[in-house]
Amino acid sequence: MMQEYEYEYAQFIYYTPGRLDKQSQLWPVRAGRSIAKPSYEVGPKRIECHSLHFVSEGKVRIEWAGNWAELQKGDLFCLFPGRTYYYRQLTSESQLRMSWLALDGARAGALLELADVTPDRPYREKAVTPTVKASAERVIDALAVAERRKPAEAMALQGMVCELFAGLILDKTPMETEAQTGWIRECLDFIELHATEGISVQQVAAFAGVHRSYFSNVFAEQVGMPPMKYIQRIRMEKARLLLTETDATITEVALSLGYPNLYTFTRAFKGYYRVPPLSVRSTRREPSAER
């Protein structure tokens, strides 16, 4: 419920994060909604967290570090911790209406950067799509009734905040969002995680968001081998560990690594290490790969 204040009618919602909230490294601190009075202005002020403001109606001018921007319905801005801001209502046919969500935690800054909102440019025009607006409203409504000590509610809140950022993060290819070596490194992690599921080069290229031929060329150049050979290497290394460090049967090893049957696995293992898996199991010796 909104209450009247000097410059606005506003609803303020406060949330105290619990252990599960802080483990996520991203948690809400407070939220609210406001309808500006004609004299509405805030600041200059500094805050200790990240505060996202979603413009629902009207116009607002935000000033920071000698810069300024005039925003309207569908835009958003963020107050970053430790920086001085000033913002006020501009003349418009509609009263200024905003919703806001203040967030804390180590992940907040990085996620805002992915959403193309940074301390140097703390706003984004036309970012509040219907999906983003609905996500933000869900978080604010949930905070209004949340009970901090209920783990299920804390987890649900985390999901809602992540859903909000999923709507805000721009859909760019890895080549646009970070250095080339960065997205190749992410592909290596993807392969390490899913190699035992029989993934294909096309699936890894799709994960990277680039064409398969381009992906294969860049991967081979930076890793030193084609992606298919790298996938095989990861599977064989996992096979060696299972054979030398566990009592899993060879059939169990084969199926655990995503091979359809014992014969296919044995042929692949022998082709890579030049010895059958049974010999490694019987001697518990380290095989050397065919290079």
Side-chain angles (χ1 to χ4, degrees), residues 85-185:
Y85 297 92
Y86 169 81
Y87 51 97
R88 62 182 174 84
Q89 178 175 219
L90 295 176
T91 302
S92 171
E93 293 181 357
S94 304
Q95 283 180 289
L96 177 64
R97 292 174 178 257
M98 294 191 293
S99 300
W100 70 87
L101 174 65
L103 300 162
D104 206 349
R107 295 172 61 200
L111 289 173
L112 284 165
E113 185 175 357
L114 286 174
D116 204 24
V117 181
T118 65
D120 292 333
R121 193 177 188 275
Y123 66 93
R124 206 174 107 200
E125 297 169 328
K126 301 179 180 179
V128 188
T129 64
T131 298
V132 167
K133 182 177 180 180
S135 295
E137 292 301 314
R138 274 195 293 272
V139 177
I140 295 170
D141 288 340
L143 283 173
V145 297
E147 296 185 33
R148 180 175 64 90
R149 300 192 181 278
K150 288 190 175 182
E153 289 196 8
M155 295 296 293
L157 271 174
Q158 290 172 27
M160 291 178 199
V161 173
C162 288
E163 180 184 41
L164 171 61
F165 274 105
L168 285 173
I169 291 173
L170 298 176
D171 187 14
K172 297 181 179 180
T173 66
M175 286 292 291
E176 295 173 308
T177 57
E178 58 182 307
Q180 197 175 84
T181 54
W183 69 264
I184 287 293
R185 190 178 303 112

Side-chain angles (χ1 to χ4, degrees), residues 161-231:
V161 173
C162 288
E163 180 184 41
L164 171 61
F165 274 105
L168 285 173
I169 291 173
L170 298 176
D171 187 14
K172 297 181 179 180
T173 66
M175 286 292 291
E176 295 173 308
T177 57
E178 58 182 307
Q180 197 175 84
T181 54
W183 69 264
I184 287 293
R185 190 178 303 112
E186 289 190 357
C187 289
L188 296 178
D189 293 340
F190 180 84
I191 292 171
E192 176 72 27
L193 183 62
H194 299 292
T196 60
E197 299 161 23
I199 56 172
S200 65
V201 174
Q202 177 59 48
Q203 286 174 303
V204 186
F207 167 76
V210 296
H211 192 275
R212 173 175 173 162
S213 59
Y214 174 79
F215 165 75
S216 297
N217 290 337
V218 175
F219 188 99
E221 177 183 340
Q222 295 195 22
V223 180
M225 65 180 72
M228 192 66 248
K229 188 171 183 179
Y230 185 82
I231 293 172

